[in-house]
Amino acid sequence: MPILIARLDEDKEETMNVKDYPFAQELITDTQGHILKVVINVQDYERMIEVIEDEELYRAMMEVKQETPLSFKEALTELEKE
């Protein structure tokens, strides 16, 4: 597990360890120590995508919460307009 140095500003440096990043297995940096990529386990990646999709669905549901639901026929009519 690599320990990396990242420059926060010209006079200050901070040691970054892959253990400081949840799910990270490896940090890939440029020659200045800026993180370019984070390597994670595919199962962790899939779970993160699932959580993001769940959050998007929740936000969409909250956005239309106050709207009156359409009947089946009305919904079909709306879909035909698209």
Side-chain angles (χ1 to χ4, degrees):
M1 253 178 232
I3 294 177
L4 307 167
I5 303 295
R7 295 198 182 282
L8 298 176
D9 57 42
E10 292 180 15
D11 302 323
K12 189 175 178 184
E13 290 185 350
E14 180 179 313
T15 302
M16 297 186 311
N17 192 312
V18 74
K19 289 186 269 180
D20 297 332
Y21 293 85
F23 308 110
Q25 294 178 327
E26 184 179 350
L27 302 174
I28 299 171
T29 64
D30 62 14
T31 56
Q32 290 85 30
H34 300 110
I35 298 173
L36 300 175
K37 297 180 182 186
V38 177
V39 178
I40 64 173
N41 180 297
V42 70
Q43 287 87 7
D44 291 336
Y45 171 78
E46 289 169 347
R47 178 67 182 127
M48 289 171 64
I49 295 300
E50 184 178 311
V51 168
I52 291 168
E53 289 171 346
D54 288 349
E55 178 65 18
E56 290 173 5
L57 175 60
Y58 172 78
R59 287 180 188 213
M61 290 170 60
M62 291 299 104
E63 191 174 300
V64 298
K65 182 177 179 180
Q66 301 302 321
E67 293 183 14
T68 304
L70 299 175
S71 69
F72 182 72
K73 185 177 179 180
E74 292 169 325
L76 287 177
T77 303
E78 288 297 317
L79 286 173
E80 289 173 359
K81 290 180 184 178
E82 294 179 8

